[in-house]
Amino acid sequence: QNYLDNFWPDLKAAHELFDSIVQARRERESESQENHGKEYPEHLPVEVLEAGIKSGRYLQGALNVNKHRAQLEAFVRLQGAGSKDTG
């Protein structure tokens, strides 16, 4: 902040970007405190997952991610579902 104020006081875009970064960090810290310092929520216990799979609430399968477009393309191949299964 001091650097921008001293050397680039009229560069509005840089000040707006800095303010945006500060706000994002505050929100992330707030979320982290709500999750007791954990960046991601914990996984469900195995018993809950197994019961959910049996009841049909959850599906079980293999996650496939496109290595060239990992942030855009992924799918889950369900267990027991495939063109090779003639049943």
Side-chain angles (χ1 to χ4, degrees), residues 11-40:
L11 192 58
K12 184 178 178 183
H15 286 272
E16 289 174 357
L17 177 60
F18 179 79
D19 292 340
S20 174
I21 292 169
V22 168
Q23 181 63 28
R25 287 186 68 189
R26 285 183 187 145
E27 289 174 6
R28 186 173 182 182
E29 289 171 3
S30 174
E31 289 173 3
S32 178
Q33 288 174 355
E34 289 174 8
N35 292 329
H36 307 290
K38 298 174 186 164
E39 188 171 348
Y40 298 101

Side-chain angles (χ1 to χ4, degrees), residues 11-79:
L11 192 58
K12 184 178 178 183
H15 286 272
E16 289 174 357
L17 177 60
F18 179 79
D19 292 340
S20 174
I21 292 169
V22 168
Q23 181 63 28
R25 287 186 68 189
R26 285 183 187 145
E27 289 174 6
R28 186 173 182 182
E29 289 171 3
S30 174
E31 289 173 3
S32 178
Q33 288 174 355
E34 289 174 8
N35 292 329
H36 307 290
K38 298 174 186 164
E39 188 171 348
Y40 298 101
E42 291 186 21
H43 294 284
L44 294 173
V46 174
E47 307 82 44
V48 173
L49 292 174
E50 289 174 348
I53 290 169
K54 287 180 184 176
S55 72
R57 180 174 182 183
Y58 301 126
L59 300 173
Q60 184 174 3
L63 176 64
N64 293 279
V65 179
N66 182 329
K67 68 179 179 180
H68 302 291
R69 299 176 50 139
Q71 294 186 1
L72 300 174
E73 293 182 13
F75 66 92
V76 175
R77 185 180 314 268
L78 300 178
Q79 286 187 349

